[in-house]
Amino acid sequence: SDFGLSRHLTVADGSVSVQDLQSADDWDAFSRLRYGLEYDEALMAAIASAGRGNYYYAERGARLAELFVDELASLGRTVIAESELRITPAPGVALHDVLGYHFQRDAAGVITVPVTDLAAGARQKIVLALRTDLAPGAEVSIATIAWRFRVVGGAAVERVAVLRARVSADAAAVAASLTPATVQMIEEARTAVAIDAAAASYAEGDLANARAILDRRAAEASAAAADLGDADLDARLRGY
């Protein structure tokens, strides 16, 4: 129906092409299930991200049935679909990266980030890396963020918020403004990116580099927790 859900689940051995990224736009959600040992980790994850879907891995055939059940269950719990963020940076602000997400940037500099379908009560964190040449001192608008989505069984909705921050050149003041919850979100996002990079190195047969990436990330996350003096945060990040 016009208000229903369509989800495309592709099972692949990892030998996929960039054209799959284009076909991901034809569905409410486009999930990927990778089977076997030969694959392009980064491309498979990018297809799932671009298609607002999920990304699974099954080394053995026995796992396929379980993953199909998981995907079907997630479809039944979905309450928000066709979700995306449109981020318009303020003058003097540049968006450097959306950690762990596939995104597009148009000629006007507006960033579009596809967001996975959401179940009732679910939360999705998106960490932005921003750069600015704005003068320190005042609280300023950093970006306008529009969240567009469709309620399953209903109409399209848009929510708009303005992101504001105080620009400071005082490193101590910036460090003092951080909270454990903020640092955890940032470090988890960085860790997810590192895991993808390590998986790509492993797929290329470079086990030593994969281990080095993960060890370096673990050390960086521990240092961030130590700067806050939060041993519990260190333990949570190590368990991520």
Side-chain angles (χ1 to χ4, degrees), residues 6-230:
S6 62
R7 180 169 298 180
H8 182 81
L9 175 62
T10 297
V11 180
D13 63 359
S15 302
V16 295
S17 66
V18 176
Q19 282 72 26
D20 286 317
L21 281 169
Q22 298 170 344
S23 64
D25 292 333
D26 297 332
W27 302 83
D28 291 340
F30 189 98
S31 294
R32 272 283 178 181
L33 194 159
R34 173 170 60 79
Y35 176 69
L37 298 176
E38 299 296 329
Y39 59 93
D40 185 329
E41 178 80 22
L43 181 57
M44 294 288 281
I47 291 170
S49 174
R52 304 181 183 86
N54 302 307
Y55 173 44
Y56 304 101
Y57 168 60
E59 183 177 348
R60 295 177 299 276
R63 282 274 289 151
L64 291 175
E66 178 184 342
L67 294 177
F68 274 116
V69 170
D70 289 347
E71 180 73 3
L72 183 60
S74 74
L75 182 61
R77 294 190 302 267
T78 298
V79 295
I80 288 179
E82 300 175 29
S83 180
E84 69 178 21
L85 290 182
R86 289 178 61 83
I87 305 163
T88 306
V93 177
L95 192 147
H96 173 62
D97 195 11
V98 183
L99 275 66
Y101 280 83
H102 169 82
F103 64 92
Q104 294 180 332
R105 190 192 313 264
D106 67 18
V110 177
I111 307 296
T112 300
V113 185
V115 180
T116 187
D117 292 347
L118 297 176
R123 294 187 177 188
Q124 190 78 11
K125 71 172 181 289
I126 296 179
V127 178
L128 309 178
L130 301 168
R131 294 175 176 172
T132 181
D133 56 8
L134 296 173
E139 182 178 292
V140 296
S141 296
I142 298 296
T144 299
I145 301 178
W147 179 28
R148 299 177 178 178
F149 58 92
R150 180 172 62 83
V151 177
V152 175
V157 179
E158 181 177 72
R159 296 283 186 266
V160 179
V162 177
L163 177 64
R164 300 181 63 83
R166 184 175 298 278
V167 180
S168 176
D170 185 340
V174 172
S177 71
L178 295 174
T179 66
T182 300
V183 172
Q184 181 169 347
M185 284 192 292
I186 294 171
E187 296 305 321
E188 285 179 350
R190 288 173 171 169
T191 299
V193 172
I195 290 172
D196 287 345
S201 287
Y202 179 80
E204 294 171 356
D206 194 343
L207 179 59
N209 188 52
R211 286 177 172 169
I213 290 171
L214 295 178
D215 289 344
R216 184 166 58 251
R217 177 83 284 270
E220 292 169 349
S222 292
D227 287 343
L228 287 177
D230 191 330

